Amino acid sequence: MRRLSIARSVQLALLGLTVALTAIAGFGVGGLYSSRQQYEDRLARAFELKAAAGRLLAASVVEEATLRARAAQDASATEDRQARAAYGQALADARRRATDDPATHDGPSALQAE
């Protein structure tokens, strides 16, 4: 049986090391892309929640203005119902978007602690 020369042994060792390091780098890059995608998804959900909160604020202002106009006899019952329905829809949308937000589940004190 023939023994491998030192040069050949070193070449094979370097080839094996190259293959191993390439595989490790591939897994590392895959992990980075996965982390980035998760971050971007969470960021998009946070912006959606922020937009829903803005729509909820606008709907509450409209509802309050309608209630005040109704008290002053300037608004009809139909406008009142429409304002309440719009507020209810905005509230449901904001709640739906906040279901996976950990700060929402911890309550207002979690937001103040940050």
Side-chain angles (χ1 to χ4, degrees):
M1 186 153 136
R2 231 174 88 189
R3 292 184 52 149
L4 294 175
S5 67
I6 293 177
R8 189 66 159 159
S9 297
V10 170
Q11 280 181 335
L12 289 175
L14 288 176
L15 178 63
L17 186 61
T18 301
V19 170
L21 290 176
T22 301
I24 291 170
F27 287 123
V29 169
L32 285 175
Y33 277 121
S34 176
S35 296
R36 179 179 173 202
Q37 187 64 49
Q38 289 175 355
Y39 167 75
E40 288 177 353
D41 290 345
R42 289 188 68 183
L43 189 62
R45 285 192 303 271
F47 281 129
E48 289 173 358
L49 180 57
K50 186 175 180 178
R55 288 190 298 273
L56 180 61
L57 176 63
S60 68
V61 168
V62 169
E63 183 181 19
E64 183 179 349
T66 304
L67 291 174
R68 286 183 185 201
R70 177 109 167 128
Q73 305 300 330
D74 293 338
S76 68
T78 303
E79 291 172 334
D80 189 29
R81 281 193 303 274
Q82 288 174 342
R84 285 181 194 266
Y87 178 78
Q89 288 173 346
L91 180 61
D93 182 49
R95 283 184 176 159
R96 182 179 54 82
R97 293 183 188 281
T99 55
D100 62 345
D101 183 26
T104 304
H105 294 296
D106 293 339
S109 61
L111 295 175
Q112 293 170 354
E114 291 179 355

